[in-house]
Amino acid sequence: MAQKILVTGNLPKEVMDLLNKRYEVEAQSEDRPMERQAFLAGIADKEGLLAMITDAVDEELLSRAPRLQMIANMGVGYNNIDVGAATRRGIPVSNTPGVLTDATADLAFTLILAVARRVVEGDKRVRTGQFTFWAPFLFLGREVSGKTLGIIGLGRIGQAVAQRARGFNMQILYHNRRRMEPAKEQALQIEYADLDSLLTKADFVSLHIPLMEETRHFMGPRELALMKPTAYLINTSRGPVVDEKALLAALQNKQIAGAGLDVYEQEPTLTPGLTEMDNVVLLPHVGSATLETRIRMATMAARNLIAGLSGERPPNQVNPEVPPHHRKEK
Ligand code: DGY
């Protein structure tokens, strides 16, 4: 009998074909998150789960999934999954690293340019018929080329942002849990800085850290206060790494010049007041949202799921301590 899987997002046809060939599939067919009740009901008889980053795969859900053998997340970030709880049940969990690096770095750079050059404000001005003349000191933004970029978290995406910044002749500082070898720093033309000096020197601070207990509110009132009043904060990682209320206050008090945000603390709800600010560019979590990247992510998640359900090690397993198919029955 075919194994049963639950796919909680609307995936490209070629990926669904791959899954339909092998499994009995229950899938979300609309572009919206699966309702929690449907998710809880749907998981009850499934061996496999292909989850979206908006799904909470927590104790409650896992306790209702006695047959579950594999969880493949469609996303590089997997803070939506209680990996500890899955590991205790012997369930491998996988993510989709690498395939969204360029798309996300492109978007971080889009936000840098958009907020510094007031692209969204300018677009609004033209559309509302307020572009009536040109003047030398009207609608000025800030230069990006040649400025100092501070990258916090130098994983794949942070490095890809650095690569783009080199093309803009930026001085690149980075802060990371582990410092790179000096030879690698030299090759990447980046300089290590402790957090406080990065924050005090950077014209743009771009966040590329995963959400974990230790990184919640990584950017709080103290860190925002260290930034220059002419500096911008860019976040394409996860919303809760920034204390959004503190950020709003920093923007309102002109403690910093602006922010470019793709992610929010209580996504998709925003801290009231944020949308009223002109000095922010706000995007709806679209870091990896290109057709090419989403097809790659869906394919990678499906391949991980297939490997896990075939008793093989999923190529992108994030809890490698769980051996293939050694699920402890509850
Ligand atoms: C991820 O993969 O974690 C992204 O946030 C999805 O865009």
Side-chain angles (χ1 to χ4, degrees), residues 93-112:
V93 176
S94 64
N95 70 340
T96 58
V99 289
L100 44 67
T101 300
D102 283 327
T104 309
D106 287 349
L107 196 87
F109 230 86
T110 302
L111 285 171
I112 290 175

Side-chain angles (χ1 to χ4, degrees), residues 301-315:
R303 296 245 174 255
N304 277 311
L305 187 74
I306 292 168
L309 290 180
S310 314
E312 292 160 23
R313 190 170 274 288

Side-chain angles (χ1 to χ4, degrees), residues 1-7 16-27 42-43 45-50 67 305-306 309:
M1 229 174 58
Q3 289 166 297
K4 293 183 179 172
I5 66 164
L6 181 64
V7 179
M16 288 312 292
D17 287 349
L18 200 70
L19 296 172
N20 280 318
K21 259 199 327 228
R22 291 176 169 78
Y23 307 116
E24 198 179 313
V25 182
E26 179 182 336
I43 202 68
D45 60 346
K46 303 298 188 294
E47 274 96 18
L49 169 63
L50 198 158
R67 302 168 65 92
L305 187 74
I306 292 168
L309 290 180

